[in-house]
Structures are given as structure tokens and as C-alpha cells.
Amino acid sequence: MALRANGVRDMPTVTESALAVIRNRTITIYASGSTAGEDHALLESRKKIFATLLNRLAELHINRPPPESFYIGEPYIEDEHKVACIISANFVFPAYIEPVDFWLYGARVMAVQHGHILHVQIHKRISQQLWDDVRLQIPFKEKFLIGYLASYMPAINRRLIDNRHYEGHLLSRTFAMFEAVRVSVSVQGRHLPLSWPISFLPFPPSAALANNVRATYVYEFVDSINAYFTSDFDDCIRRLVTSAENLFEVRGWKTRTSPKTLFRKILRLLGFKSKTSNSFRRILTEYVNDGSLAGEVVTENMEFIYTIRNKIVHAGFRMSTTSGQFCDKAIATLKYMIARHCQDMIISRYVDTLYMQFRMQCSELGEMYNLGVIEKRRKDDGNSETPVIDSAAAFNSFMFQALRFTELDKLSI
């Protein structure tokens, strides 16, 4: 190591080949000390050496010089060496479901009932380097395995909803990622448990305001987020519209009544009922669309959400398992509408903090570490120009243009 002028040693860089040598040597030390009959003190000493080497490896990994450019998951996405693995998770399931077996995103997904436990397995190929980093306990790397599991939860939950609706099993419920227990990964017969589930402390900004909020439309907003976590996208959309309707009622928003013409009176006498003038869309047009970009986008989005909700409620429409991003934008749209129009500063701040909490938790529950999504976004971003944001107006435009439902968003449902 080189000495700086002040006597502090420079941290050496670690090449991938050097990391491989350290990994192989540490595994050899650990294996050689695990045979029966070894002296207990010698075995403990070797375990300490192994732990020390692992800690040093993690330290060197964290303190490597920063690269010129980097994105989350880059080493694993660009790793050409793959290894077959099985990601497993258990859920406490009070119902019963026939074995599930399907292919999705290049992986085989299986779910089998064992007593009161639903055992889920994802058979797929992952980066060899990711497996090496996880088994050597490099900090935070197992989150990428959680990201893989999270990407399959909407499809698994759809099977559970089908079991409830089409098999008549009332106790067949859906699950959020934080309800998974005994999550593990297996490669070539080696079984490694992951540090999951995790729990979240109260979110201070939300906790400070929650006791002062008793509005029903806020409760429905919260429940729509809960439905999102369990991949029940149909219920998420229904609750968003119910929340909006409750907000309209609280604000006393009503459209002007159409004049009772002679023609309308005759139609009513003949038994024909005209459409009510107090419609969801007309209220949006009269009270929410104030001519600003924000008002325009929120109105357009809520009108489309209302259309989808009507299809779900009245026409048997079902949201696709790929509807996550659409529902995320729908939740954000309602958040902006409540915050801008509820005329209650505490509620406005509260729904803002709830959405911040929602986004943070989504990231920690696998969204930020989903390598498949990261790779797709990088390809999509490579074909688009990044706008220059140099003012508050430019930021506002970027934010609401990004919120607007695109044709791809609509096709995803």
C-alpha cells in the first residue's frame, strides 16, 4: 500500500480476479474447518478468520473508487455468466389452492400448498456475480433477489384472486411482499436464507399529522395503496374513484341542473330517465380543470380512471397483472387532486407524506432492485431525450407530463 504525505494509507482497488481469489480461498478455509473430529478451538479460530476476511472483502468493495458512470444493478445486468437458482418464499395461507405452475419473464413459477403454508418457488437464471455477492454477504445485494420475487407477485396474486372468485373459496387472499416469510435462494444444492421480511418504523411526517385527519376520502386513498401492495389492482381503482366521489361530496361540488323543458317532462312521463347532470366527469371539468397543466392532466387521468372503474364494476373488466405502473400514476393523480382541492392544509400535507411513504416503501419492497425493470428502462431511456430542467416551471411541466397516462400505460391494463 502507498503512504500519503500525512501517513494515511491509500485503500487499494480490488479487481474482479482478486475478488474471485479471495472468495475461493475463504470458502476453502471454511470448508476445511468443518469436518467432524476437528479440534473445537481450531475450528472457532478458522471461523473467525473467515468472518474477518468477509468483513475485509465488504470493506474493500464499499471503498472502491467510484466509476465514471454507474446505475443500480449494472454489474449483474452486464454479467454474461449466469447460474440457475431457485428463489423460495412461504406465505401463511388459510385457504387451499391447487398447485400453480406457469412460465413468466423467462422463469418457471410454482406455488404448492403445504398445510397452512403456500410455498412459492421461482426457477430462473441469475448473474453469477450476484450469487457470489449474496453468498459472501456483501451488504444490500440480496435485495436484487427480493426484486426478482416481487416482479412475480402480481401474477401469483392473480391466481389467488381467481381461486376466490372462480373456485368459491372465501379465504383465498392476496399477499404483499412484506408478508413473505422464510425467503431463500438455492444454487446447485446450496441453500441460503435471506434477511426477510423487513419492517418499517412509523413514517414521521405522516405520523405527526395522522391524528388530525378523519376524512373518509383519505381513508379510501390509504386503502387504495394497500390494495396496490397486494396486487389487487381492480380494488385499487375502485377505491380511488370512491375516494374522489367522497371528496366531491365533502366539497359540495355539483353541476348545474339542466332546465326542465317540456320535452324532458314528456320523456319522464313516458318512463324514460335522462342521465343525471351531477356526473363525475362534469364535476371534474367544472371544478378541477382550472386551465393549468396540472388541472388538465389530473382531469384527463381521473376521467380515464373513472371509465376503467365503470368497466370493472359493471362490465366484468379485470386489470392486467402488468397494471402496476398505471395504478401508481392513478394513486399519484388522486393525491394531487386531494392536495390541491381539499382546502384543508393538514390533509393536503398528510396525503403528500402518505405518497412519499408509499414510494419509499415500494422501493424497499423490491421495485428499485428489479433487474428486469432496470434493464428495460435503460433501453427505453436510450431512445428518448432527457429534458433540461432549469426552472420551477420546467420542473412543474416535467412532473405533470410524466404523470399523464401514455398509450403504453393504457395498454398495460
Side-chain angles (χ1 to χ4, degrees):
M1 297 183 188
L3 284 174
R4 295 179 184 169
N6 59 6
V8 179
R9 293 180 183 272
D10 281 323
M11 183 64 69
T13 59
V14 182
T15 64
E16 294 303 323
S17 60
L19 284 174
V21 171
I22 294 173
R23 290 167 181 157
N24 292 335
R25 288 181 179 175
T26 53
I27 293 168
T28 302
I29 291 173
Y30 183 75
S32 64
S34 60
T35 57
E38 280 277 354
D39 179 78
H40 180 71
L42 179 59
L43 178 59
E44 291 300 318
S45 297
R46 287 176 171 172
K47 286 182 178 179
K48 289 181 180 179
I49 293 173
F50 180 71
T52 301
L53 287 171
L54 284 181
N55 290 334
R56 180 57 174 162
L57 178 62
E59 182 182 355
L60 292 173
H61 182 85
I62 292 173
N63 288 281
R64 289 182 299 176
E68 294 182 2
S69 64
F70 179 78
Y71 60 89
I72 293 176
E74 179 179 8
Y76 311 133
I77 290 176
E78 298 186 359
D79 184 11
E80 296 180 356
H81 301 287
K82 305 296 181 181
V83 59
C85 81
I86 302 174
I87 303 172
S88 303
N90 289 345
F91 297 89
V92 178
F93 189 56
Y96 174 78
I97 187 171
E98 294 290 335
V100 173
D101 192 339
F102 61 93
W103 286 81
L104 183 66
Y105 307 140
R108 186 181 183 185
V109 182
M110 305 173 68
V112 181
Q113 183 99 23
H114 295 292
H116 67 290
I117 297 297
L118 182 66
H119 181 67
V120 173
Q121 287 188 347
I122 311 296
H123 297 248
K124 71 180 287 91
R125 296 179 65 80
I126 64 171
S127 160
Q128 174 71 57
Q129 185 175 340
L130 174 57
W131 164 242
D132 289 342
D133 288 347
V134 170
R135 67 190 177 92
L136 291 174
Q137 301 177 14
I138 302 298
F140 310 115
K141 302 306 179 182
E142 62 184 22
K143 288 188 176 183
F144 291 100
L145 297 176
I146 297 299
Y148 277 132
L149 177 61
S151 66
Y152 295 99
M153 287 307 298
I156 295 169
N157 281 326
R158 171 51 57 86
R159 266 58 177 192
L160 300 178
I161 293 175
D162 290 346
N163 189 50
R164 182 169 68 227
H165 290 166
Y166 302 146
E167 300 297 328
H169 207 315
L170 297 178
L171 300 181
S172 186
R173 50 157 304 192
T174 56
F175 296 96
M177 266 302 300
F178 50 77
E179 296 176 285
V181 294
R182 298 184 182 276
V183 181
S184 63
V185 59
S186 301
V187 173
Q188 296 178 349
R190 182 170 181 180
H191 184 79
L192 183 68
L194 304 183
S195 300
W196 195 268
I198 58 176
S199 60
F200 296 89
L201 292 172
F203 192 63
S206 299
L209 299 169
N211 287 334
N212 300 312
V213 177
R214 294 293 182 270
T216 303
Y217 59 85
V218 176
Y219 296 160
E220 292 290 344
F221 175 71
V222 172
D223 288 343
S224 72
I225 293 176
N226 188 264
Y228 176 93
F229 281 138
T230 60
S231 311
D232 194 345
F233 300 135
D234 295 348
D235 193 44
C236 177
I237 295 300
R238 285 194 296 262
R239 290 184 180 276
L240 288 173
V241 172
T242 301
S243 174
E245 290 174 334
N246 287 340
L247 173 63
F248 296 169
E249 185 175 351
V250 169
R251 289 300 316 276
W253 286 349
K254 296 181 179 180
T255 57
R256 297 182 181 88
T257 304
S258 301
K260 295 183 178 180
T261 62
L262 178 61
F263 179 69
R264 288 180 179 274
K265 291 180 179 179
I266 293 174
L267 288 177
R268 184 173 294 277
L269 289 173
L270 293 174
F272 295 99
K273 294 183 179 180
S274 59
K275 292 183 179 179
T276 176
S277 59
N278 190 16
S279 70
F280 190 93
R281 294 182 180 85
R282 289 186 63 183
I283 289 176
L284 288 171
T285 301
E286 292 185 20
Y287 295 96
V288 178
N289 193 353
D290 55 7
S292 66
L293 175 62
E296 175 187 323
V297 172
V298 169
T299 298
E300 289 179 1
N301 280 13
M302 288 304 304
E303 286 178 344
F304 190 76
I305 293 168
Y306 184 65
T307 297
I308 299 304
R309 176 263 187 186
N310 288 344
K311 289 183 178 180
I312 293 171
V313 173
H314 303 297
F317 180 78
R318 302 186 69 193
M319 301 287 286
S320 168
T321 57
T322 60
S323 303
Q325 183 173 340
F326 176 88
C327 289
D328 185 353
K329 284 189 176 183
I331 291 170
T333 300
L334 180 62
K335 185 269 294 188
Y336 281 116
M337 189 172 75
I338 294 175
R340 289 168 59 88
H341 296 284
C342 67
Q343 290 194 330
D344 186 314
M345 184 60 67
I346 292 178
I347 291 178
S348 179
R349 289 167 52 199
Y350 184 51
V351 294
D352 278 335
T353 67
L354 288 173
Y355 187 73
M356 286 189 290
Q357 181 182 175
F358 165 62
R359 294 308 314 146
M360 179 271 291
Q361 291 171 346
C362 283
S363 296
E364 290 301 310
L365 293 172
E367 183 177 292
M368 180 183 293
Y369 303 95
N370 186 329
L371 293 173
V373 171
I374 294 171
E375 185 173 14
K376 182 178 183 303
R377 284 178 179 172
R378 281 192 59 79
K379 291 179 180 178
D380 293 342
D381 292 343
N383 299 324
S384 60
E385 295 183 1
T386 303
V388 176
I389 301 176
D390 54 4
S391 65
F395 176 76
N396 186 72
S397 175
F398 170 78
M399 183 172 61
F400 283 101
Q401 291 293 359
L403 180 65
R404 192 191 300 269
F405 289 141
T406 66
E407 289 304 314
L408 286 177
D409 292 330
K410 295 176 181 179
L411 289 174
S412 72
I413 64 174

